Each structure stands twice: as structure tokens, then as C-alpha cells.
């Protein structure tokens, strides 16, 4: 795989470099609520502009349905990118106008193209349609142009600006992609033991693949979040109105047979999924009918902290409860603290998953308390599942 270092070893001053970044940040009323992905993308852009390249950034925001949608404009992202970058970043509309803006770039300049998913060809299943868009993107970079793939959060997508364009231009992996891949390669390969995986979030079915792939390599899998109730059901316990995936009970039994699954001994149950609902801690094998489990309990936090106590490697995906509602954030906070303690002891601790990363920030935890917080939710899980990610494969075999 050619890398940004390889590209910079060539002459890039004056050349146009197309960079696919992942700038898909959460917005509320047009305001960015979490700019981590933009910050994570800046180092690669900075290295290129410092070397005198004319940088054209392409990215997406959300999932526009069938064409432009002003609510999903990258305009606020361009503003924030400009602040972080230290110079205003123009936002180029697609089509002919983009070519004019790109032509006007000076050496060391940066332009952001409007949401690439406004063009339905970006996500088309039709190879020729995607290739046509990729060709237009490559044209913007020109005859001596290059492509840098740095949007780790999208490398699992076979899309025009991720996959097809890497076949149109000399393609290089950016620093963010390299960092993410290096960390995940360790987790998927021979990580230091004890190796503990902490899983939560809403659905077992989302995590089966990663559990299957990692289970043989790890010492323990701590299961909290909504998915623990299907495991409790697999042990024969009633789970009240908690999240339950009946069609996954059999799969959970299989995992329980491995002897590596650790479940919380207690859970927090509520009358409803609401911040003001009455709630209590109950033993995990005595969840009353009509109540819904929304967090692991204090004994669960203690049990998980104990299992993390001597871990050398930790992978965490999925919050322990409905952390978005303050009364049910305690388990997630407790597990975060236990993982931060592992980091301080020298363990390698990695967080994957969009909501898990959001939880860390929403709960005011220090990001420096973790070895690595992945910017890619689906991409990191698919990597750990051992799947071939099109945006990485194409960099290896253009
Ligand atoms: P990630 O994005 O980190 O992979 P997921 O998308 O799998 O995580 O899950 C995140 C969601 O899981 C959160 O929105 C959280 O509210 C929800 N969740 C956690 N625990 C429960 C629970 N006990 N019942 C229902 N939802 C839960
Ligand atoms: Mg999620």
C-alpha cells in the first residue's frame, strides 16, 4: 500500500491532490455537536498543504435521499475546517463551478467539495455510474493529480469517492487510515494477553460477527448494554420488557458455551425508556415482568472492572446502557473509568463504534484516557470481523 509518505517523497508542490476525508459529523440545528472527525482529518491535509499541494477534499454528510438537501450541506464543516486549518476553506458546488474553484487554488490551498452524496452516482450499485463520477473527480485533480484515501469511516464502502476514484488516480493511504489500520491489525492479530473485549450497545445481531471473529483470540468478553438481555434469556432468565432478539438466543447459547462470556450480576430496570421513569437495581436473574433493563448495575460495573483489572489489551464497543438518559449512564461511566485505569497501567485500550465514542465525550471523559478512539464505527467492526474492506483493498491492488 502506498502511503502519504511515499507521495510526499515525490514532488507535490503545485500538484492537485484529491483527499477523501470522513467529515460526517453530527449536526443539531446546523451546529456541529462533535467535531472529532474533522480534527482527525486535519493532520493529513496539513502535511499536504505544507508541502505546497493544492488540496481538494471530498466528503459526505448523512444520507441524502435523491439529490441535494440543504440540511446536509457541508457548509458548517467548511467553516470548522477553516478554523482548525487557520485559513478559510471555500466550499465548492458540484459541476462546473467546482472546476473553477479548484483552478483558482494556490499552492498550499484547500477547497472542500459539497456533500458528494448529493450525487446519486456516489453510492450507486452500478459500476459504470460510479466510475463516471470517479472520472469527474479525477479530472478535478488533473493529469498529474493524486488521490489520498483518509476517510477511515468509509473504507468499508464501495463508493465512487472511496473505491472507484482510487483506480483513476495514483492512490495513497493517508495518516488517519494508516493509524486506524495499524491499531486494528493488532486487535485482530496477536494482541497482548490478557485480552478483554467489552461489548454493549443495542443489538446482538450487530455484534455477532465481531464476537465470532475475536472470541478465539480473547480471554473474556464482557457483555452489557441492550445485548446482555438476549444472553440472559439464553441462560433461561426472564427479561421483562428489555431489548430481546429471540432469533439470536441460540447464537448466544453457543457463545456462553465458550466460558468466556461475563454477564452483569445486576441490572437497572425502569418503568419506561425515559429519564424520569422510576427505576431500581435488581439481580439480573430476577427482572420483573413489565420493566425494561436500561443499564448494568453497580455489581455489574464491579464485575467488569475486576475482569479488566489485569488486561493488557482492551477493545470496547457499545455503551453499557442508555447513556443518553442521565439515570442510565452510570454503567457506561463506570466501565469507562475501569478502561481508563487499564490505560494508565500500560494496557492498549481501543474504542470502536460511533455511539461509544460519543458516550465518552458526552460523559465528559478525557479522550487521552484511551490508546485509540476509532473514527470508524462500521469500518472498524468489519475490519475486526476479517472482512475485506473495498477502500483498503483498492489501495493494495489499484
Ligand atoms: P456503537 O455505535 O458504539 O457501535 P451501538 O450502535 O451498538 O453502539 O449502540 C448504541 C446504542 O445502544 C445507544 O444509543 C444506547 O442507548 C443503546 N443501548 C445501550 N444499552 C441499552 C439497553 N439496555 N436497551 C436499549 N438500548 C440500549
Ligand atoms: Mg451505533
Amino acid at each position: 500500500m502506498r502511503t502519504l509518505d511515499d507521495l510526499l517523497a515525490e514532488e507535490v508542490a503545485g500538484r492537485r491532490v484529491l483527499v477523501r476525508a470522513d467529515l460526517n459529523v453530527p449536526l443539531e440545528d446546523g451546529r456541529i455537536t462533535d467535531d472529532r472527525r474533522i480534527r482527525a482529518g486535519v493532520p493529513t491535509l496539513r502535511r499536504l498543504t505544507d508541502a505546497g499541494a493544492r488540496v481538494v477534499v471530498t466528503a459526505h454528510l448523512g444520507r441524502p435521499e435523491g439529490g441535494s438537501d440543504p440540511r446536509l450541506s457541508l457548509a458548517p464543516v467548511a467553516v470548522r475546517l477553516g478554523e482548525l486549518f487557520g485559513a478559510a476553506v471555500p466550499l465548492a458546488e458540484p459541476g462546473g463551478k467546482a472546476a473553477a474553484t479548484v483552478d483558482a487554488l494556490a499552492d498550499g490551498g484547500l477547497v472542500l467539495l459539497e456533500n458528494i452524496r448529493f450525487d446519486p452516482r456516489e453510492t450507486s450499485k452500478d459500476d459504470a455510474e460510479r466510475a463516471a463520477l470517479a472520472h469527474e473527480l479525477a479530472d478535478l485533480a488533473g493529469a498529474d493529480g493524486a488521490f489520498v484515501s483518509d476517510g477511515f469511516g468509509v473504507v468499508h464502502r464501495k463508493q465512487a469517492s472511496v473505491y472507484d476514484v482510487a483506480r483513476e488516480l495514483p492512490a495513497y493511504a493517508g495518516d488517519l487510515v494508516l493509524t486506524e489500520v495499524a491499531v486494528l491489525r493488532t486487535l485482530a492479530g496477536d494482541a497482548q494477553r490478557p485480552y478483554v473485549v467489552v461489548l454493549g450497545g443495542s443489538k446482538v445481531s450487530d455484534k455477532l460477527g465481531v464476537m465470532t471473529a475475536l472470541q478465539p483470540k480473547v480471554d473474556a468478553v464482557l457483555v452489557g448494554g441492550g445485548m446482555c438481555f438476549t444472553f440472559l434469556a439464553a441462560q433461561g432468565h426472564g427479561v421483562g420488557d428489555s431489548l430481546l432478539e429471540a432469533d439470536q438466543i441460540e447464537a448466544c447459547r453457543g457463545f456462553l458455551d465458550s466460558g468466556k462470556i461475563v454477564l452483569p450480576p445486576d441490572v437497572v430496570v425502569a418503568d419506561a425508556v425515559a429519564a424520569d421513569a422510576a427505576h431500581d437495581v435488581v439481580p439480573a436473574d430476577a427482572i420483573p415482568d413489565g420493566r425494561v433493563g436500561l443499564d448494568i448495575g453497580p455489581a455489574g460495573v464491579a464485575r467488569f472492572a475486576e475482569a479488566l483489572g489485569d488486561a493488557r489489551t482492551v477493545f470496547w464497543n457499545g455503551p453499557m446502557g442508555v447513556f443518553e438518559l442521565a439515570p442510565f449512564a452510570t454503567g457506561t461511566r463506570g466501565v469507562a473509568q475501569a478502561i481508563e485505569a487499564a490505560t494508565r497501567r500500560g494496557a492498549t485500550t481501543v474504542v470502536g463504534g460511533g455511539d461509544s465514542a460519543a458516550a465518552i465525550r458526552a460523559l465528559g471523559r478525557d479522550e487521552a484516557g484511551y490508546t485509540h478512539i476509532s473514527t470508524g464505527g462500521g469500518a472498524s467492526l468489519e475490519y475486526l470481523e476479517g472482512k475485506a474492506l473495498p477502500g483498503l483493498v483498492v489501495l493494495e491492488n489499484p
Side-chain angles (χ1 to χ4, degrees):
M1 199 187 287
R2 283 183 297 184
T3 68
L4 183 58
D5 285 342
D6 297 323
L7 175 59
L8 292 174
E10 303 170 20
E11 186 60 71
V12 288
R15 285 171 65 189
R16 286 188 294 223
V17 179
L18 179 75
V19 179
R20 178 52 158 109
D22 177 12
L23 307 177
N24 187 27
V25 290
L27 288 179
E28 253 167 49
D29 305 321
R31 217 174 37 83
I32 297 167
T33 55
D34 182 352
D35 67 355
R36 205 177 104 85
R37 281 182 162 162
I38 306 177
R39 285 187 280 123
V42 168
T44 285
L45 302 178
R46 166 89 54 211
R47 286 186 74 194
L48 284 164
T49 55
D50 282 352
R54 303 174 178 203
V55 179
V56 181
V57 183
T58 179
H60 76 282
L61 190 64
R63 294 170 184 264
E65 304 280 343
S68 299
D69 177 347
R71 288 166 303 178
L72 294 176
S73 168
L74 280 169
V77 173
V79 171
R80 183 73 188 118
L81 186 57
E83 288 166 3
L84 292 165
F85 191 68
V89 172
L91 181 70
E93 295 294 332
K97 282 191 226 148
T101 313
V102 170
D103 281 342
L105 270 179
D107 289 6
L110 191 69
V111 57
L112 175 63
L113 302 182
E114 183 53 288
N115 193 341
I116 190 71
R117 289 195 188 164
F118 286 174
D119 190 324
R121 294 174 297 174
E122 166 71 357
T123 53
S124 171
K125 296 284 171 247
D126 182 311
D127 291 351
E129 284 182 8
R130 285 198 322 275
L133 174 57
H135 195 76
E136 287 173 24
L137 288 170
D139 271 350
L140 284 177
D144 64 350
F147 173 65
V148 172
S149 175
D150 208 36
F152 179 72
V154 287
V155 290
H156 58 318
R157 305 288 188 204
K158 192 171 185 180
Q159 296 176 345
S161 71
V162 177
Y163 172 82
D164 301 84
V165 74
R167 307 173 68 188
E168 298 269 346
L169 287 170
Y172 305 82
D175 286 349
L176 178 62
V177 161
L178 285 178
T179 305
E180 294 268 11
V181 168
V183 172
L184 294 171
R185 190 185 293 132
T186 311
L187 293 181
D190 50 355
Q192 282 192 50
R193 313 281 288 261
Y195 180 178
V196 177
V197 173
V198 186
L199 292 179
S202 43
K203 288 162 87 188
V204 184
S205 45
D206 287 350
K207 315 282 157 122
L208 276 183
V210 78
M211 283 187 88
T212 307
L214 292 184
Q215 183 167 274
K217 300 169 187 172
V218 307
D219 298 283
V221 182
L222 319 184
V223 179
M227 61 186 282
C228 78
F229 300 100
T230 304
F231 278 91
L232 292 169
Q235 288 183 327
H237 306 306
V239 296
D241 289 343
S242 310
L243 212 62
L244 175 68
E245 287 176 274
D247 56 344
Q248 305 296 339
I249 289 180
E250 227 16 77
C252 290
R253 283 207 185 98
F255 286 117
L256 286 166
D257 286 343
S258 74
K260 292 181 180 175
I261 303 288
V262 180
L263 292 170
D266 61 351
V267 293
V268 179
V269 295
D271 288 343
V273 187
D276 57 0
H279 56 273
D280 306 283
V281 175
V282 299
D285 59 2
I287 298 174
D289 286 344
R291 306 202 82 189
V292 53
L294 297 180
D295 198 7
I296 61 172
V301 171
R303 180 76 191 80
F304 286 7
E306 182 196 323
L308 287 161
D310 64 348
R312 302 289 310 149
T313 307
V314 179
F315 175 62
W316 178 21
N317 172 262
M320 294 295 103
V322 181
F323 72 93
E324 296 92 337
L325 305 175
F328 313 109
T330 313
T332 303
R333 184 179 296 108
V335 165
Q337 284 166 336
I339 295 175
E340 290 159 20
T343 315
R344 285 195 295 275
R345 282 196 329 273
T348 299
T349 58
V350 180
V351 181
D355 292 296
S356 311
I360 284 173
R361 286 187 290 283
L363 300 180
R365 312 306 309 168
D366 183 359
E367 290 176 27
Y370 305 82
T371 309
H372 182 73
I373 302 177
S374 179
T375 56
S380 54
L381 287 187
E382 288 195 19
Y383 187 99
L384 292 175
E385 284 170 30
K387 288 191 183 151
L389 310 189
L392 296 180
V393 172
V394 73
L395 295 178
E396 276 149 15
N397 329 288

